[in-house]
Every structure is written in structure tokens, then in C-alpha cells.
Amino acid sequence: MKNLKIAIQKSGRLNEKSVQLLKNCGLSFENYKSSLITKVNNFNLEILFLRDDDIPGYVAQGIADLGIVGENVIDESRAKVSYLQRLGFGRCMLKLAVPTSSEITELKDLEGKSIATSYPVILQEFLDEYKINASIQEISGSVEIAPGLGLSDAICDIVSTGTTLKNNGLKPFADVRSSEAILIGRDGLTENPILCELMQRLQSVLLAKETKYVVLNVERTNLPQITELLHGVKSPTVVPLADEGWVAVHTVITEDDFWDKINKLKAAGAQGIVVMPIEKIIL
Ligand code: ATP
Ligand code: ZN
């Protein structure tokens, strides 16, 4: 069978997590940063290491079959690709920000003003949606220094913690769009058996990441309340302990309601709660 090619970022914020995700899918390969392409030893896949900005175009043209890249980059490129899977990392927000002393405090104040950004396509769409006329100054990096240099009144840039903005005397005042890393594919790929296998592995790794394996001890008399609280992959496993009045309960808890669940379990009499990471869940 012909190998598929997946493009991932060569170096930068998405590189390490993209490599780790593929390795967690059981793919074995050398992470040669110096080469453009590497072959996966145990799967029909080759990995291309590229600048993130080039990935949507490579996939749209079919040079790569798949790619891992931020949604911000895909939207900015306007490349025609299919969204296959959100990957849950590389989360960030494209925001509008102004100098802390600025009179601009809401979107309509941007009318007639200039905004520096590396994302002119996304920003223009956003301004059109809100019917704001503002001029866009396209610059490729260090956008946050533009207002200080007198190049623009505002900026539109990616923010995750906000420290860079703060250090440059800027404050965010509106969100333009959120973004996370996503698996994209070229058109006409969905029936491909290599992709189907990869997607199945990816989903089991992503699902496992959202869950924890929990073991707890509880007095038999409190077991009904505990099982009531737990809806694991299936009903929880209950194992008798040496002390006859007690049992151990094994289950899976999702990350989003984890602390809420743990607190309720404790209140219902759970003791000695042990929480472990899960590597994969095969449904
Ligand atoms: P390249 O050399 O591949 O062009 P780059 O410098 O353009 O890399 P990075 O800074 O490595 O890009 O960011 C890659 C992606 O990571 C961004 O496009 C975005 O989707 C995501 N990301 C997550 N958090 C942040 C952040 N704080 N700043 C910038 N990008 C972020
Ligand atoms: Zn880039």
C-alpha cells in the first residue's frame, strides 16, 4: 500500500506535542530535525517537517496527505482542506489589543484606526462581520511593538498567557477567534484504510487523555451510593478486600468533572483514592 505523508511543524510550539501524539499512537520513528522527511518504521506513513505556515498549502495541493497545524494558520491560508480531528493542544486566542493608555475600549472605537497583525485575512473577515472600517498593517512578526513605534493604533495577535502584551504596555479588549491544533487532510482521503487506522488510534489516545483510572476503597454498606455516582466505560469493577466489610472499586473518570466527582465520592464514603493516567482506551 502507498504510504501516506503527514506534515507537522519542524520546530516551534506545535512540534513536540505533534511528535508525542504520533508516538502515543504507537508510531516509531526517528525525530530527525535536520531532515525534511522521515519514514515511520512500523506504519505506512512518512512525516514531513515543515514551517507551520506551509502546511495547509502542502495538504491542499496533495503534496502531503495530512497535516497537523493551528486553526489560525489554516484559516489565514484559506487552503481547501478537510478538518479531520481537533487535537486538544496548541490552544490560543487571537485578540485585539491596544496600549494601556489608549482611548479605544470597544470594537466600534476601531473605526478609522489602524491595526497591525500577521493575520490580515482573519482580521478583515472579523472587521467585515462587525462592519468596522479600519486599515490593516500586515507585519510578519513582533506585532506587539507596532503601536509603540507609531505604526498602528491597535494590534491583533495570538495571546495565550498575556505576558507579552503586558510587557509591551498593551491590554487586550476583544477576542477575534480561538484556535487549537487540528488534523487536516487533503480532499478525497476519507476512505483511505491507513487514515482509518490512524484515526482510530488517535481517537483512543485523545479519549484516554481526557480520562483517569481511579481505584478507591469503600465499606460495602456505602457501595450503592458510590456506584450511583460512577458511570465508567462500563459499570465499575468491584473487588472484595481482605477485610470482609470492604470492597475496592475500579473505574474511569473524565477530566472535565474530575474534582466534582472525587469530592462526591469522598462524601459518599470513598477512602484511599488512587488516581492513575490512562494510555489508551480502545472502544
Ligand atoms: P514556524 O517557524 O513553523 O513558522 P511560528 O513561529 O510561525 O513557527 P509558533 O510560534 O511555533 O509559530 O506557533 C505555532 C502555532 O502554535 C500557532 O500558529 C498557534 O496555532 C499555536 N500557539 C499556541 N499558543 C501560542 C502562543 N502563545 N503564541 C503563538 N502561537 C501559539
Ligand atoms: Zn509560522
Side-chain angles (χ1 to χ4, degrees):
M1 203 180 304
K2 200 170 164 287
N3 285 337
L4 289 187
K5 291 193 183 74
I6 185 167
I8 66 171
Q9 193 186 24
K10 188 176 173 67
S11 62
R13 290 173 202 266
L14 301 182
N15 166 269
E16 209 174 299
K17 292 214 165 112
S18 304
V19 166
Q20 196 53 51
L21 182 62
L22 294 177
K23 294 208 160 160
N24 289 347
C25 287
L27 309 186
S28 138
F29 57 90
E30 297 292 335
N31 187 16
Y32 290 125
K33 289 227 170 132
S34 52
S35 64
L36 175 71
I37 190 159
T38 189
K39 166 85 185 79
V40 174
N41 302 319
N42 56 354
F43 200 77
N44 288 334
L45 192 69
E46 282 164 82
I47 302 173
L48 295 172
F49 296 96
L50 301 174
R51 281 203 57 194
D52 67 346
D53 315 68
D54 296 334
I55 294 176
Y58 269 61
V59 174
Q61 290 174 55
I63 297 165
D65 304 285
L66 300 165
I68 294 179
V69 68
E71 291 172 283
N72 53 322
V73 174
I74 308 169
D75 282 7
E76 187 61 32
S77 75
R78 288 204 161 132
K80 225 178 130 277
V81 295
S82 318
Y83 278 42
L84 300 178
Q85 178 71 52
R86 298 184 157 275
L87 300 174
F89 63 88
R91 289 210 171 98
C92 54
M93 182 69 86
L94 198 58
K95 288 187 188 234
L96 284 158
V98 286
T100 38
S101 57
S102 172
E103 285 162 3
I104 300 171
T105 57
E106 53 182 328
L107 286 177
K108 67 175 176 47
D109 300 337
L110 287 171
E111 186 67 32
K113 298 286 198 277
S114 65
I115 311 166
T117 189
S118 312
Y119 296 94
V121 173
I122 297 175
L123 178 59
Q124 189 61 61
E125 268 175 17
F126 179 83
L127 294 174
D128 290 348
E129 190 183 325
Y130 287 89
K131 303 195 167 39
I132 295 163
N133 282 303
S135 71
I136 297 178
Q137 306 287 326
E138 183 180 351
I139 47 178
S140 59
S142 306
V143 173
E144 61 283 351
I145 63 171
L149 296 175
L151 184 70
S152 70
D153 302 300
I155 68 159
C156 172
D157 201 9
I158 282 183
V159 178
S160 52
T161 60
T163 321
T164 312
L165 290 185
K166 222 175 185 174
N167 291 345
N168 285 281
L170 299 169
K171 58 169 191 227
F173 72 100
D175 292 346
V176 173
R177 72 151 301 163
S178 61
S179 173
E180 71 180 278
I182 191 158
L183 177 73
I184 53 170
R186 66 170 167 78
D187 278 350
L189 195 65
T190 39
E191 297 296 307
N192 185 292
I194 305 171
L195 176 62
C196 291
E197 172 68 25
L198 184 65
M199 288 294 284
Q200 197 186 338
R201 293 188 189 193
L202 259 180
Q203 277 154 10
S204 73
V205 170
L206 294 172
L207 187 61
K209 227 172 69 185
E210 292 164 13
T211 49
K212 297 277 178 257
Y213 193 83
V214 176
V215 181
L216 57 89
N217 295 338
V218 66
E219 268 187 289
R220 260 183 207 284
T221 47
N222 290 331
L223 188 59
Q225 292 99 290
I226 297 284
T227 45
E228 174 82 0
L229 285 168
L230 298 173
H231 317 275
V233 172
K234 279 266 161 59
S235 53
T237 308
V238 180
V239 185
L241 293 182
D243 183 339
E244 282 204 351
W246 287 76
V247 290
V249 176
H250 293 231
T251 193
V252 168
I253 292 184
T254 55
E255 191 73 87
D256 52 356
D257 62 352
F258 179 79
W259 284 109
D260 181 48
K261 272 272 171 66
I262 291 290
N263 289 334
K264 284 183 177 152
L265 288 168
K266 274 168 73 180
Q271 293 185 12
I273 305 174
V274 177
V275 181
M276 288 165 277
I278 297 176
E279 196 176 308
K280 294 179 183 69
I281 294 183
I282 321 289
L283 290 178

